[in-house]
Amino acid sequence: MNRVYRVKFILWAVVGLAAAVAAIRFAHGLGATTNLSDATPWGIWIGFDVMGGVALAAGGFIMTAAVYIFRLERLHAVVRPAVLTAFLGYAAV
């Protein structure tokens, strides 16, 4: 077996293992991995949402500050998408 086939075999084995684990997780419930239950319905998702939303918002506003406060005009083309992303990030939080 040459090197390409060996790497492909290993990658497909990893994909197969991940698919098997995902099927078992969905069949038996996601409670063990997400910490979701009737007692704590938010689980890990509220932390992920807050951290992800704040990161999006901070990145957008830092980019806008770099253009308007620090006069980095070469980045001016990305200001509008950055502000939109920042507002969506804060809306998610």
Side-chain angles (χ1 to χ4, degrees):
M1 205 188 307
N2 67 13
R3 198 166 90 184
V4 173
Y5 290 119
R6 198 174 317 136
V7 170
K8 284 173 114 178
F9 177 76
I10 291 170
L11 289 176
W12 277 113
V14 170
V15 168
L17 180 66
V21 169
I24 291 169
R25 278 287 99 205
F26 282 116
H28 294 290
L30 291 171
T33 55
T34 61
N35 200 24
L36 295 175
S37 68
D38 290 336
T40 56
W42 289 99
I44 197 170
W45 299 110
I46 192 69
F48 176 77
D49 180 40
V50 169
M51 287 176 23
V54 169
L56 279 174
F61 287 127
I62 290 295
M63 183 62 68
T64 305
V67 171
Y68 289 119
I69 295 174
F70 302 119
R71 305 275 188 229
L72 296 175
E73 295 298 326
R74 62 188 165 93
L75 299 174
H76 188 73
V78 297
V79 168
R80 281 187 173 184
V83 170
L84 175 65
T85 304
F87 284 139
L88 290 175
Y90 271 123
V93 172

